Every structure is written in C-alpha cells, then in structure tokens.
Amino acid sequence: MAYTAAPRILLPLTVTEEEYTQAALFVSRRCGMLRSLPLVVALAMLLLLVGLGSLSWFSATFFSLLIPLLFCLTAVLLLILIFRVEPARVKKQAREQYATFSQLLQPATLQLFADNAVTHTPTLTLTDPYALLPECIETPTLFIFIKDNERRLILPKRCIPAEEQEQVYEFLRLCFTRKRRLMKHWFW
C-alpha cells in the first residue's frame, strides 16, 4: 500500500531479548493468563484466612489440623503458581519466540502515520492501523502495542532520539487516549 503523506515520525527499531520478554509479561498481564492475578491473590488470601481461622475449631472438634493446613497449603501453592510458575512459562515462551522475531523483524524501521504504524524490515512490511489495536501499554522503558495475545509491536523508548521524545510521546498518547494503560511492573 503506497502512502502519499510522509510519516509523522520515523524511528529505527531494535528490540532486545530482555525487552521482548518484558513485553510478553505485560501482555500476559493484560490479556493472558496473568490477568487473573488479582482474583488468584484474593482467593489465596481467603483460603489462608479460612485455614488460619479454622485451626482452633478443627483442632477442638476433630482433633486434627489437616483440613486447615490444606487450605493454607493451597493458598501458598496458588501464589507460587501465579507469581513464579506462570511468569516463568511466559518468559520461556517469549525467549523461544524471540529467535524467530529477531530473524524476521530485525533490524526494522517504524513509521508512525496519523492513522497507522508501518514496520519495514528487510523481509516484511507490516501495517497496523491504530483502530484495530485494542490497547497500548506504556511502561517506564517500552511502548507495547497489543495486536492480540500472541502478536505485539514493541517500541523501546531508548530507540526514540532525545530531541523527538516529547513529540513521539505526545503523538502516541493522543492516538491511544482511551486505549493507553500505564504500568510500572507486570504485576501491578
């Protein structure tokens, strides 16, 4: 597709494996398995409260602490699952995907037009209309444009020249006014 207008912003784009992995965690937190984190934490706290609260009753009534200890153990296992196991799985999958990503999509040039972003690589040209991107996540180091759970466009802030930073930030914030989410860490 040919564009008659020049891009508003033209940026070189290189994404490191660490940035790709971090982006995968943020995306999983917004639209993957990690989005259930608040519910799992609340359930774990409830199980822990029930387990600790029923210790004396079970001990006096049944002369056993097995059921309350199972509640407490289940709470701990849920927290380990949501804070250790699932993030490790997401990171492992992202590292595996990065090998393909780095071969196909690097080095790249990102052109930001008024209504879409065009990524040019030696092998591909990808066009992403802003209207079809459900969300933009802004972190202290990245802009992550979510296409779906598996596909994303990652713009590291370090790729934006210092003299253009304010212009790029303002442009992206304006394009994604209702779809922009600020996140400092993947877990909050």
Side-chain angles (χ1 to χ4, degrees):
M1 180 182 293
Y3 294 96
T4 56
R8 291 192 179 191
I9 300 161
L10 179 66
L11 302 169
L13 188 62
T14 55
V15 179
T16 65
E17 184 176 356
E18 177 63 29
E19 290 166 338
Y20 192 86
T21 304
Q22 285 297 321
L25 283 171
F26 282 106
V27 171
S28 181
R29 177 68 175 93
R30 294 299 302 164
C31 60
M33 285 291 292
L34 289 175
R35 83 174 157 214
S36 63
L37 184 130
L39 179 65
V40 171
V41 169
L43 180 61
M45 291 303 117
L46 180 67
L47 286 170
L48 193 60
L49 285 173
V50 168
L52 293 175
S54 64
L55 272 173
S56 62
W57 185 78
F58 270 92
S59 176
T61 307
F62 298 108
F63 303 107
S64 173
L65 298 177
L66 183 64
I67 302 294
L69 290 178
L70 283 175
F71 280 136
C72 294
L73 182 63
T74 303
V76 170
L77 289 175
L78 280 174
L79 292 174
I80 289 171
L81 178 73
I82 201 73
F83 283 108
R84 286 281 190 215
V85 176
E86 184 59 21
R89 187 195 66 77
V90 169
K91 287 179 183 180
K92 180 179 182 257
Q93 184 179 18
R95 284 191 297 271
E96 292 169 358
Q97 290 174 346
Y98 182 77
T100 304
F101 171 84
S102 64
Q103 294 296 314
L104 288 176
L105 297 172
Q106 295 205 93
T109 304
L110 180 64
Q111 295 178 322
L112 299 175
F113 290 91
D115 60 347
N116 60 33
V118 178
T119 309
H120 292 283
T121 71
T123 56
L124 296 168
T125 299
L126 303 170
T127 303
D128 299 306
Y130 302 138
L132 298 180
L133 298 175
E135 194 168 348
C136 171
I137 300 171
E138 183 179 348
T139 74
T141 59
L142 302 169
F143 282 104
I144 307 162
F145 307 98
I146 299 175
K147 298 176 186 180
D148 58 36
N149 193 24
E150 294 295 320
R151 299 179 310 144
R152 59 196 75 85
L153 173 61
I154 303 165
L155 173 59
K157 289 183 177 179
R158 65 171 171 71
C159 292
I160 304 169
E163 61 275 0
E164 293 182 29
Q165 279 184 349
E166 197 55 43
Q167 175 190 3
V168 172
Y169 292 178
E170 188 61 33
F171 176 75
L172 292 174
R173 289 174 183 151
L174 182 64
C175 288
F176 293 95
T177 301
R178 292 186 177 151
K179 298 178 181 182
R180 188 174 129 249
R181 301 288 178 257
L182 291 172
M183 296 178 75
K184 292 186 182 183
H185 302 286
W186 65 266
F187 45 86
W188 76 71

